[in-house]
Amino acid sequence: MSFKSDEIMSQLKSRIGTEGKQYVEKVGGTYLFVVTKDGQEKNWFLNLKDGNGSLSEGAANADCTITTDDESLFALFTGKADPQNLFFGGKLKLDGDMGLAMSLSAITEGAKL
């Protein structure tokens, strides 16, 4: 099954490869994205704490875990959805460091498709 967020994560991985150090300096934390679609789940671990940063598929312990559905994550990273509306609408769940959750805009704003 294809996830729309695969495209987002591919672009984000490319950006981390070229601009990762700057994001590590800005953010200084780790994220786990738990994305669901039609009963299936994908996980991506974003490390913006160490070195030049990295993004890999798979689960790991993170400072901030963001759980959402595929469409909502795609909308968040393409600027078609507001993170607060997703959160208060129950489509975006956060666990862990809320300050890091707020820092997510540093990543999503530069990733607009």
Side-chain angles (χ1 to χ4, degrees), residues 21-59:
K21 188 166 181 58
Q22 139 187 353
Y23 288 113
V24 168
E25 290 170 1
K26 266 188 199 177
V27 177
T30 59
Y31 297 90
L32 175 63
F33 293 93
V34 179
V35 184
T36 59
K37 180 179 180 180
D38 298 331
Q40 298 207 347
E41 180 179 290
K42 271 198 174 181
N43 298 289
W44 284 280
F45 179 72
L46 177 59
N47 180 348
L48 296 178
K49 186 184 268 187
D50 303 311
N52 292 321
S54 64
L55 175 67
S56 57
E57 191 170 338

Side-chain angles (χ1 to χ4, degrees), residues 9-113:
M9 293 302 173
S10 175
Q11 289 185 10
L12 184 56
K13 188 171 190 170
S14 176
R15 285 190 40 236
I16 296 298
T18 59
E19 304 168 41
K21 188 166 181 58
Q22 139 187 353
Y23 288 113
V24 168
E25 290 170 1
K26 266 188 199 177
V27 177
T30 59
Y31 297 90
L32 175 63
F33 293 93
V34 179
V35 184
T36 59
K37 180 179 180 180
D38 298 331
Q40 298 207 347
E41 180 179 290
K42 271 198 174 181
N43 298 289
W44 284 280
F45 179 72
L46 177 59
N47 180 348
L48 296 178
K49 186 184 268 187
D50 303 311
N52 292 321
S54 64
L55 175 67
S56 57
E57 191 170 338
N61 287 331
D63 300 322
C64 180
T65 300
I66 298 167
T67 305
T68 190
D69 62 274
D70 189 48
E71 288 290 330
S72 295
L73 185 73
F74 188 82
L76 177 67
F77 273 87
T78 56
K80 293 178 175 57
D82 177 68
Q84 288 184 345
N85 290 341
L86 291 174
F87 179 77
F88 289 115
K91 292 192 170 261
L92 184 75
K93 294 180 181 143
L94 304 171
D95 188 32
D97 188 331
M98 293 302 139
L100 269 178
M102 302 302 282
S103 297
L104 188 61
S105 65
I107 304 158
T108 60
E109 287 176 5
K112 304 284 191 264
L113 295 176

